[in-house]
Each structure stands twice: as structure tokens, then as C-alpha cells.
Amino acid sequence: MSEQTKNIETEFSRLETLKVIISGGGTGGHIYPAIAIANSLKEMVPSADILFVGAQGRMEMEKVPEAGYKIKGLWISGFQRSLSLKNLLFPIKLLYSMYAAKKIVTEFNPDIVVGVGGYASGPTLKAAQQNNIPTIIQEQNSYAGVTNKLLAEKVTSVCVAYEGMEKYFAEDKIIFTGNPVRKDILNLQGKREEAAKFFKLDPNKRTILVIGGSQGARTINESIDEGFDKLIYKGIQLIWQTGKTYYPIAKKTDFRHQTSLVRIYEFIKQMDLAYSMADVVVSRAGALSISELCLVRKPIILVPSPNVAEDHQTKNAQALVEKGAAIIVRDHEAYGKLVIKAMELLNDEELKTKLITNIGSLGRPNAAYDIAIQVLKSAGKFHLAKPVAAFENIQPAVVENIQSTITTQSEKTEELKTPQPVKTKKAESKTGTGSQIENKEFTGQEKFSHVYLIGIGGIGMSALARYFKGVGYEVAGYDKTSTDLTKALEDEGIAVHYDDNVKMVPTEFKVKDDTLIVYTPAIPDNMWELNYFRHNGFNVVKRSQVLGVLSKGKYTIAIAGTHGKTTTSTMVAHLLQSAGRTNSAFLGGISANYKSNIIIGSNDGAMVVEADEYDRSFLTLEPDIAIITSTDADHLDIYENHAAVIDAFKQFVGKIKKGGTLICKAGLNLKPKQGVKLLDYGTPESKCRAENIRIENGLFTFDYVSPTASIPNLELKVPGFHNVENAVAAITVALHQQVKPEQIVEGIKTFAGVKRRFEYIVKTDKLVYIDDYAHHPAELEALLTSAKALYPDRKVTVVFQPHLFSRTKDFAKEFGTSLSIADEVFLLDIYPAREAPIPGVTSELILESVKAASKRLCSKANLINILSDIETDVLITAGAGDIDKFVEPIKELLLKKLTVNS
């Protein structure tokens, strides 16, 4: 081959691109999926040339250019099912559009044509098929339209969103992708506060969202108007999208009431915030609406429009109803019934939980990418796609699909050079972490100037962030939810964002040789940013690995246990610090004394570390002194059973350095290796123990006794028998470190505790409000037993938010037993954290086992209203989820009550 020929071929390959026509529209249900597909194609092939073909006078002629794409319009409209003069023009319009579509297709010469439904789709795909150009149909509904059924015989493939579509299309052409949706609705976690500010509504009040499609819905609007008074009377907030036609009528209704409970819009652009604010959604049953609702996981009432082709909305809705994922109200029944049904659903916690669980299992967040992949495959242009590592917004499930396609294509295209997939390994079943990409080995010898933390808002991760910031590194991170802790990090100069999107990572943190990536094991494997860094060769390590390296070479005091470790480690750190030691500490809570979860000491000082058993993280540590407070069954989503939990603690004990000391709660049956000293505590017979425990002036007071020391009359500000035990362990460490008894007395007396560990929010003679992190049955038992001991003749009311579906499933009866210590119990919905719902697992499981005199389920939206209606004496909020967001509103409510009653 001559040099000139090579140059020509090289130049030709540079000019090669992807040309796509996307045709259809008419409604938002066709337009927005089409734009989502185009966006995914542009991300995979930035040079792609995409042309839209729509119908003149329809909304696509406005919305597509707004999205940045070219569009040509056909003079086309639909055939009316009823007698209409408009039908006389239909044959003329059809013939003209067929001619115009053929001209567009010939001139643009696309590699492939995609039909998304709507009037323009038929002529355009027909013209492409006549020119032997590959075609794809994206059928959004559960019932195929006439045009798509006619076109299907010659299309390359049909992308569908519902099961059972074999009755309309050839089975070998069907690809189940789901419907594409806008990206901003894929992560709503933690956006309710932001939504409340945007809509100027109360985040703690129940809210109904009404959406009638992009053009509104007459029946829904009239039904809401009819029931408007009922909603206002019950104090229910309403976000109401009316469409353009009904908007003036709705505003008149709103003006008549002059209420702050209602927000009315022609069209809502910030749908992520609208969904975040909603407790119940009322909607038509268009394909796009349903696809979005499956992803936002809200209880929904569907009112199918009867005025659509083939009555497809009723079929869409019925598909969800049959799976227990939605409620249907027929269009002719809606007036007089819809608002009542919505109000009933608002108050039915069990039904809402069921609907959320079932609809959540139907979501397809990768639909736009999956369809884009099929477009590239069918066009024979997949080799133009960027390498996998470059995809910043793509989810791991799609990466796998892309990588397998790349492998296939590369067999046919010698010129293609793509990165090989990162090798994966299947973790042993006992770790419960599933398939993961291997991390690079981290030694601490690497030279980094930047540290990026994924899950930075976690209590342990935020301590690392503060540490690295404090010793001179540039620090940034991601978390899914804005909290007081992440806001504090931002105030300290650490950049934090809340959208799982690599484009939001500061540019300077995308230099792999300069940046260390740290993540918490609670982060799921399909997290976009995590996989971006892994696939691009960054040094990605777990938090536990970093702690292991930082503690290496230091005198390490590690405190472990399924509960009690946070207070104990914070107490140890305070006793050393108040005695003038320059120790460092990584804590699992915010110390009330130091207003932080990190203490940065001198290089030669000891390091106090809270040793986390989750994911066996504590096995990276090699302590000189270890405290073990408890080994109860927990994290059974990670450990197969209680025996596996105990086995992990035995391994941790084996990590204690020779010549070290194990301070262990009595009865745990943990024996250290030879050369490690064992001291037990927690019983009257223990070597280290509390004696003469009593409550004086509202304080737990006790005497400390051990083989080496006796310290009388220790006064502990933080209440609870369990905290007396924690203090015994902490004092034993302090004595081991040569802290003097008189310094210990002062240190215990001045120990102010840990935020959310038996934290007094309100403390008066008439009313007490305590907030606590308790999320395990044993922790709840300790919390409520201590409260009863301090306030024996007063009514104790507890509001508990279960944490994790798996923990609720494993310990429902035990939670019920612990909560029965209280006089009155309110159970919130389960906080999912890192988990997807487990069918049949709700707070109801716990409620069944509660024996308290008064018990009930309660939604977060109703909590403040319920507490305002009851008399409280000693109130406790408990849980590890987002219940802490209610602390200030509850405090405000209780102080207001005190003022009114005084």
C-alpha cells in the first residue's frame, strides 16, 4: 500500500462519523425519551450528527431545539377515530409527508433511523426502510400502536418497556430496555429540604403532587378543583401542574382560598424537586410518566386518559396494578373520588410502603444508554464509541454491555484500540460484598497532593477528610445527601457535591497521579463516580485501608464492638487529652467536648481509633491496646450469621501486637494470643469494674475498682448504666497510659458525651427530650432502660426509625421487645441507606412485637402534626437514618408548648 493511500485512508477514518435520524413527538411522552436517547448517543460518540424529524405545529418543534438539536417538520397529523372533517385532509397530509420524509432521508443519508412514536414516525421510518437503512422502534407503551405494528416487520429491533410484547412484535426483535427518562430524577435522596425551599412549602407536612402530563389533563384538574376544600381543611400541601389551558381556572380557585399550602404551575421544569417533595403522586398513565414514577419510587394513583390510541394508558396502568405497584382511578370515576382516594393513601402507611417497594423493582435507570447501544450495534458503528473509561455518566451495568460489544466489534475491526476490561473477582460469600473490581494495593508510600472521598458525609469518612485537610492536603468529596456534617465540611473549605456525576468532581482531582480516592464500603458497586475512578486507573482504596496505614508505626488504641464503641473511644480520647497527652483520635461521632470527630495530635502521640466491624474493616488495624465492648449479631447483610460476627472479632483480637492488652467485656469468650494481657470488665466479678453505682443529683455516680487502682465517687454526666460500663473500659486504658487518678476524676466529670448519644435536647422539670443514635435492639434496650431509671415515674415516649431492611428483617422481634420498655411507641418507615427494599419487610414487622401500652406507625410527613396533638413527658427520638433532621423542628415544637402551658 502506497504512503498516499495510507494517508487517504487515515483522513477518511477521521471523517467517519455517526448519522442518526430520530423521528416522532407530539407529546412529552415521545419527545423527552427521544432527547434522552440523543444525549446518550452524543456522550458515546461526541461527533455524532443527529437530526430530528417531527410534526409541524407540535411541541417537538419547540422542545428539540431547546435541547440543542436540529429538527425538520412534516405536515402530518393523526387520523381521528371519530367522524371529523379533519380526516378529509389526512390522505393529502400523509402523501405529502411520505414525499417530504423520503427527501429528508435521502439528503441526510443517515446510518440508522429511530422511531419513538408520534405522527412523524411512520413516514420517516417507512422512507428509511425503502432505502434499506436500518431502523429501530422505541415502543413506550404496554400496547403497541397501529403504526409501530405495521413498521415492525422490517425494523432491525424493537426496544420495549413492558413485558409480554411478543403478541405485537417478533420475539427475536424485542429488546427489553425500559423507557429513557431525564437524568435529574435518578437521585432524589436528601432533596426534600431543597424542594421545600424551592416550592416554599413545609418539608414536614404531607404533600400531594398532581401531574397531568405535559399538556395537562382536564379530568384530573377538575377533580382536584372539586376536592380543593378537603385538602386545605386537612392541611395537606399540593403541588399542581395544570397545563396551559386549566391554569387560569386553578389560580382562581387558589386565590379564593388565599392559602400557603398550594403551588400551581402550567408546567414544572424542576421535576426532581417536585418528586422529592411528594408523598403521593397523582398522574396520567403515559409511558414516560410511568417510567419516571418507577424510578422515583413514590406511591402513585393513576388516572388513565380514555382519549388515547388503543386506550393504551389504561393498559399501562393495569400492568402496574397487577404487580401491586399502583392504584388506578378510572377517568369517569375521578370527579368526587380522586381527592378522597389520594387522602386515604396519604394516611395508609402500610399501603404506601407496599406500593413503593413494588414500583421500585420496575425501574430501568439505564434505558437511554441501553437503547443507544442498540442504535450503534444496528448501525454497525460501535467502533466509534469512546473507550469505556471515558464515560463519565454511565452506570456499571451499561459498561459491561459496552465492553462486551467492544470486544465483539474489535474482532472485526483491527484498527480499534480499547482498554481491556478491569479484572473482577468474586468475593467470598461470607464478606457479602459481591463482585468488585480489585483495588490497587495502598502502602502509604505513594505521593499524593489531593484526596477525594466518596461517601464523605459518613461519620468515619468525614473524620478522614478533616484529618487530610488538617495536615495540608487538598480535599473534596461526594455524598448523596446534604447534612449538617457535610455543611460543616464545606464551611471548613472542603468541596462537597451531592449528585453522582463525574463532571461535578473538581478538575484538579481528576489527575490520577496526584489524587488518592477513598471510599466507604457502604457505597454500592454500581456507583458511577467510583467506577469512573477505577476504570481510569486511579489509586482507589477503602477507608479502612487508609486507617490501617495511618496507624502503622503509631501506638494504637482501638475500640471495637457492635455497640458502645463510639462513646468509649470518645471517652478514651478525652481522658488522654484532658491529661495533657498529644494523642490523635478518629471517632465515630461528634465529641461534645471538641465539636469534631477528629483530634490531630503530635507525630509521636498515640492514636485512638474507633474500629468498625462492618465489612471486617477493623482487620486492617494492629493495635497495642484493644477494647471490645460487645459482639452481638449485627450486619447480617455482610456476615452470614452471628457465628461469623464472633469469628471476625476473634480475628481482630489476633491482630493485637505482642506485649499489648485486650480490655474485653466479660462473657464474650475472646482469648488473646500468648503475650497479650487480658483484662475483663462489666460484671461485679470482673477484674475492672464499677461498684456502688447510684444516681445522685441526676448524675450516674460510681467507684472504679481494678487490680492496680481504686477511684471513688466518679461523676458521669452522660446517663446510663451502659455508659458506666463504657467509662470503666476507658478508665482502664487511661490508667494503662499512666494518667493519674485525680486527672481521671476530672476527665470523667468534664466528659460531655457524643452528639446523638443520649443527647439532651430539652431538659426541664416539666419536659425532657433526648436524641440518640440507637439502631440495634441492644442499644435501644440500654437507652430505654437508662431513661426509665432516670425518670421512673414519668411516661417515656419513643419515636424510632428502623435502619436497613435487612436489619429489620433479622431483628424485628428483638426490636419489638426492646421498644416495649417504653410507654408509647411511634415507628417511622425504614430508612433504606444503601439497600433496596425487601418485599414484605416494613416497620409493621416490628410493631407486631411491641407490647407497649400505646403504639402506632407514623410517616415522617405526619410526625410533627402527631407530636403536636399528644402530651409528652419524656420524649426520645432514636435511629441511625435521617431522623436527626427532625431534632430542631421537634425542639421548636416542644419549647412552644412549654411557653403556651406556662
Side-chain angles (χ1 to χ4, degrees):
M1 183 184 297
S2 69
E3 193 64 28
Q4 183 181 10
T5 304
K6 284 183 181 179
N7 290 338
I8 291 172
E9 288 193 357
T10 302
E11 194 62 28
F12 178 79
S13 68
R14 286 177 184 159
L15 293 173
E16 185 184 7
T17 188
L18 170 72
K19 301 187 75 175
V20 181
I21 286 179
I22 301 176
S23 182
T27 66
H30 295 307
I31 297 164
Y32 296 120
I35 292 171
I37 294 167
N39 290 341
S40 294
L41 285 168
K42 287 292 282 184
E43 186 172 351
M44 292 181 181
V45 185
S47 62
D49 189 3
I50 299 174
L51 174 68
F52 280 74
V53 177
Q56 292 176 6
R58 305 293 290 185
M59 66 185 294
E60 59 263 28
M61 303 305 293
E62 176 186 346
K63 298 299 180 184
V64 169
E66 283 180 4
Y69 295 101
K70 302 172 293 184
I71 187 168
K72 291 182 179 290
L74 301 180
W75 186 47
I76 186 70
S77 60
F79 186 82
Q80 306 297 310
R81 263 53 174 186
S82 57
L83 291 174
S84 171
L85 290 174
K86 293 180 179 178
N87 285 339
L88 296 176
L89 278 175
F90 178 75
I92 300 170
K93 286 184 175 182
L94 180 62
L95 288 172
Y96 179 83
S97 294
M98 290 293 293
Y99 167 77
K102 188 169 185 178
K103 188 169 184 284
I104 291 169
V105 169
T106 301
E107 289 178 355
F108 188 72
N109 192 25
D111 298 298
I112 191 165
V113 175
V114 181
V116 296
Y119 305 141
S121 190
T124 310
L125 264 73
K126 192 69 178 174
Q129 290 173 350
Q130 289 173 346
N131 283 10
N132 295 317
I133 295 170
T135 54
I136 284 179
I137 290 173
Q138 197 261 316
E139 175 57 69
Q140 294 116 10
N141 295 296
S142 62
Y143 186 93
V146 173
T147 303
N148 278 352
K149 285 190 282 190
L150 292 172
L151 292 168
E153 185 179 342
K154 293 186 178 180
V155 297
T156 308
S157 55
V158 183
C159 298
V160 302
Y162 290 87
E163 297 172 353
M165 299 298 285
E166 297 83 5
K167 52 192 167 192
Y168 309 115
F169 306 116
E171 188 171 355
D172 60 345
K173 292 186 177 183
I174 292 175
I175 300 165
F176 185 71
T177 59
N179 284 324
V181 298
R182 48 196 135 195
K183 287 179 182 177
D184 59 355
I185 69 161
L186 293 178
N187 185 9
L188 304 184
Q189 189 75 30
K191 284 188 177 180
R192 189 177 177 99
E193 293 288 339
E194 180 187 349
K197 288 178 184 176
F198 177 82
F199 290 111
K200 297 180 180 169
L201 295 171
D202 187 338
N204 298 313
K205 285 187 177 179
R206 297 171 300 166
T207 305
I208 295 175
L209 170 64
V210 177
I211 44 177
S214 54
Q215 299 179 13
R218 179 177 175 180
T219 300
I220 292 179
N221 286 330
E222 290 179 349
S223 301
I224 296 298
D225 205 343
E226 180 272 336
F228 199 90
D229 292 354
K230 298 185 184 75
L231 295 170
I232 302 308
Y233 177 74
K234 289 291 185 181
I236 296 169
Q237 296 180 144
L238 177 68
I239 301 173
W240 185 5
Q241 178 182 287
T242 63
K244 188 173 183 178
T245 303
Y246 206 85
Y247 179 75
I249 302 170
K251 288 299 285 183
K252 284 180 182 177
T253 301
D254 184 35
F255 183 77
R256 186 174 74 245
H257 286 273
Q258 293 290 304
T259 175
S260 62
L261 295 171
V262 178
R263 298 291 178 265
I264 300 174
Y265 303 89
E266 284 186 24
F267 182 76
I268 300 172
K269 290 184 178 180
Q270 295 81 5
M271 281 306 298
D272 59 324
L273 298 181
Y275 284 132
S276 297
M277 194 66 205
D279 297 294
V280 165
V281 180
V282 175
S283 174
R284 283 299 198 192
L288 177 62
S289 297
I290 284 181
S291 295
E292 288 193 349
L293 291 165
C294 288
L295 291 169
V296 301
R297 293 172 55 190
K298 296 285 181 177
I300 61 172
I301 298 175
L302 296 173
V303 186
S305 171
N307 307 313
V308 293
E310 319 296 340
D311 195 24
H312 67 255
Q313 285 204 10
T314 298
K315 296 177 175 69
N316 292 346
Q318 203 59 46
L320 265 66
V321 171
E322 288 171 2
K323 293 181 180 294
I327 293 172
I328 189 170
V329 173
R330 304 286 180 179
D331 192 83
H332 66 276
E333 301 173 331
Y335 195 84
K337 182 178 177 180
L338 178 59
V339 168
I340 293 172
K341 201 75 176 173
M343 291 169 65
E344 288 174 353
L345 179 56
L346 264 181
N347 293 317
D348 192 334
E349 298 298 326
E350 184 177 355
L351 180 55
K352 283 196 294 185
T353 300
K354 174 188 170 186
L355 293 174
I356 290 169
T357 301
N358 291 338
I359 200 169
S361 65
L362 305 176
R364 303 281 295 189
N366 294 326
Y369 285 114
D370 287 339
I371 295 168
I373 289 169
Q374 294 307 317
V375 171
L376 292 172
K377 285 180 178 179
S378 299
K381 296 282 186 174
F382 204 93
H383 58 281
L384 297 179
K386 291 192 297 183
V388 175
F391 291 113
E392 294 190 338
N393 292 331
I394 201 160
Q395 292 199 17
V398 186
V399 170
E400 251 180 73
N401 192 356
I402 293 175
Q403 190 62 64
S404 65
T405 305
I406 286 176
T407 303
T408 303
Q409 293 287 338
S410 63
E411 291 173 359
K412 302 175 182 178
T413 313
E414 278 189 324
E415 293 80 15
L416 179 64
K417 302 295 182 186
T418 61
Q420 292 299 305
V422 180
K423 292 182 180 178
T424 62
K425 64 175 181 180
K426 182 80 173 179
E428 293 180 26
S429 60
K430 65 180 181 180
T431 67
T433 56
S435 177
Q436 293 185 348
I437 297 171
E438 290 188 60
N439 297 328
K440 289 184 178 181
E441 184 180 355
F442 178 60
T443 65
Q445 301 303 310
E446 298 84 354
K447 301 296 182 184
F448 299 109
S449 55
H450 294 65
V451 180
Y452 186 81
L453 297 100
I454 301 176
I456 195 170
I459 194 68
M461 291 287 280
S462 58
L464 272 184
R466 284 170 161 161
Y467 171 81
F468 280 116
K469 181 73 174 176
V471 296
Y473 288 80
E474 293 298 319
V475 179
Y478 155 85
D479 208 278
K480 66 180 179 181
T481 307
S482 174
T483 63
D484 289 342
L485 186 48
T486 58
K487 289 172 185 173
L489 294 178
E490 292 182 71
D491 290 342
E492 293 164 24
I494 296 173
V496 183
H497 68 270
Y498 306 96
D499 185 11
D500 181 11
N501 184 347
V502 174
K503 291 180 179 178
M504 297 187 71
V505 177
T507 304
E508 61 269 28
F509 289 85
K510 292 182 182 178
V511 181
K512 70 179 180 180
D513 292 333
D514 294 343
T515 307
L516 175 67
I517 310 299
V518 186
Y519 72 101
T520 167
I523 294 294
D525 277 346
N526 63 354
M527 195 264 185
W528 296 357
E529 288 187 18
L530 178 61
N531 280 274
Y532 170 81
F533 287 121
R534 282 172 165 172
H535 282 286
N536 280 284
F538 282 74
N539 200 305
V540 180
V541 298
K542 285 185 181 180
R543 167 184 168 267
S544 58
Q545 292 173 274
V546 178
L547 276 179
V549 169
L550 292 179
S551 63
K552 192 168 287 186
K554 284 185 173 288
Y555 191 94
T556 303
I557 303 166
I559 297 88
T562 47
H563 42 265
K565 58 182 174 287
T566 298
T567 299
T568 307
S569 58
T570 308
M571 203 178 290
V572 169
H574 177 66
L575 288 177
L576 296 178
Q577 198 76 8
S578 63
R581 307 305 167 84
T582 55
N583 60 286
S584 297
F586 289 87
L587 308 174
I590 303 299
S591 164
N593 292 92
Y594 307 102
K595 313 301 182 190
S596 182
N597 50 353
I598 182 73
I599 298 171
I600 302 176
S602 64
N603 288 332
D604 57 351
M607 180 178 285
V608 179
V609 179
E610 181 170 325
D612 189 3
E613 75 279 1
Y614 179 77
D615 197 40
R616 294 176 171 80
S617 294
F618 57 2
L619 298 183
T620 63
L621 301 171
E622 295 181 359
D624 295 272
I625 299 177
I627 296 176
I628 298 181
T629 62
S630 52
T631 58
D632 290 334
D634 199 7
H635 304 303
L636 298 186
D637 55 325
I638 297 297
Y639 298 96
E640 289 180 347
N641 48 47
H642 191 190
V645 175
I646 293 171
D647 182 64
F649 276 95
K650 287 179 178 177
Q651 292 178 55
F652 173 68
V653 169
K655 292 278 188 174
I656 301 172
K657 294 174 186 171
K658 193 170 181 179
T661 302
L662 170 63
I663 301 166
C664 187
K665 177 81 175 285
L668 297 186
N669 196 28
L670 295 173
K671 296 179 180 179
K673 63 192 176 187
Q674 190 173 1
V676 174
K677 185 177 181 181
L678 172 63
L679 295 171
D680 69 332
Y681 73 98
T683 69
E685 296 78 28
S686 297
K687 292 177 182 177
C688 307
R689 60 191 180 274
E691 293 183 352
N692 193 22
I693 303 171
R694 66 268 188 204
I695 298 173
E696 294 180 354
N697 301 318
L699 300 177
F700 276 76
T701 306
F702 64 98
D703 304 332
Y704 173 86
V705 177
S706 77
T708 59
S710 293
I711 309 175
N713 300 320
L714 290 148
E715 292 181 350
L716 188 61
K717 282 183 179 178
V718 290
F721 295 105
H722 60 297
N723 280 326
V724 173
E725 282 190 357
N726 295 336
V728 169
I731 291 168
T732 304
V733 171
L735 287 169
H736 191 281
Q737 295 299 291
Q738 285 79 50
V739 177
K740 296 175 181 178
E742 59 270 24
Q743 292 175 316
I744 290 173
V745 170
E746 186 62 21
I748 290 293
K749 187 176 182 178
T750 58
F751 178 64
V754 184
K755 188 172 175 60
R756 300 211 68 226
R757 300 316 194 270
F758 213 104
E759 182 183 8
Y760 281 108
I761 307 300
V762 177
K763 189 179 182 183
T764 71
D765 293 337
K766 294 181 179 179
L767 181 63
V768 173
Y769 172 30
I770 298 162
D771 182 47
D772 198 277
Y773 190 70
H775 58 283
H776 184 278
E779 294 168 348
L780 275 175
E781 181 181 356
L783 168 67
L784 296 174
T785 300
S786 297
K788 278 290 193 180
L790 281 168
Y791 307 103
D793 301 320
R794 299 172 71 171
K795 185 180 85 168
V796 174
T797 299
V798 61
V799 180
F800 177 58
Q801 183 187 46
H803 184 259
L804 299 178
F805 293 98
S806 58
R807 184 179 282 129
T808 303
K809 175 174 172 285
D810 293 330
F811 302 115
K813 289 183 180 179
E814 291 84 351
F815 275 122
T817 300
S818 297
L819 288 167
S820 297
I821 297 170
D823 302 291
E824 187 173 35
V825 177
F826 293 98
L827 275 170
L828 299 180
D829 294 334
I830 297 168
Y831 184 78
R834 57 187 176 269
E835 293 185 339
I838 299 174
V841 177
T842 69
S843 295
E844 180 76 33
L845 284 179
I846 297 174
L847 193 72
E848 291 170 359
S849 299
V850 175
K851 306 301 181 189
S854 175
K855 62 178 184 177
R856 62 179 289 186
L857 296 175
C858 172
S859 70
K860 288 190 288 187
N862 290 341
L863 179 58
I864 299 298
N865 290 334
I866 289 172
L867 292 179
S868 65
D869 292 338
I870 67 170
E871 292 299 322
T872 50
D873 192 355
V874 177
L875 175 65
I876 300 172
T877 48
D882 60 359
I883 192 172
D884 59 314
K885 291 184 177 180
F886 286 92
V887 171
E888 283 304 313
I890 292 173
K891 176 183 177 180
E892 185 180 327
L893 170 68
L894 296 179
L895 292 176
K896 186 177 179 181
K897 277 188 173 185
L898 282 173
T899 303
V900 171
N901 294 332
S902 61

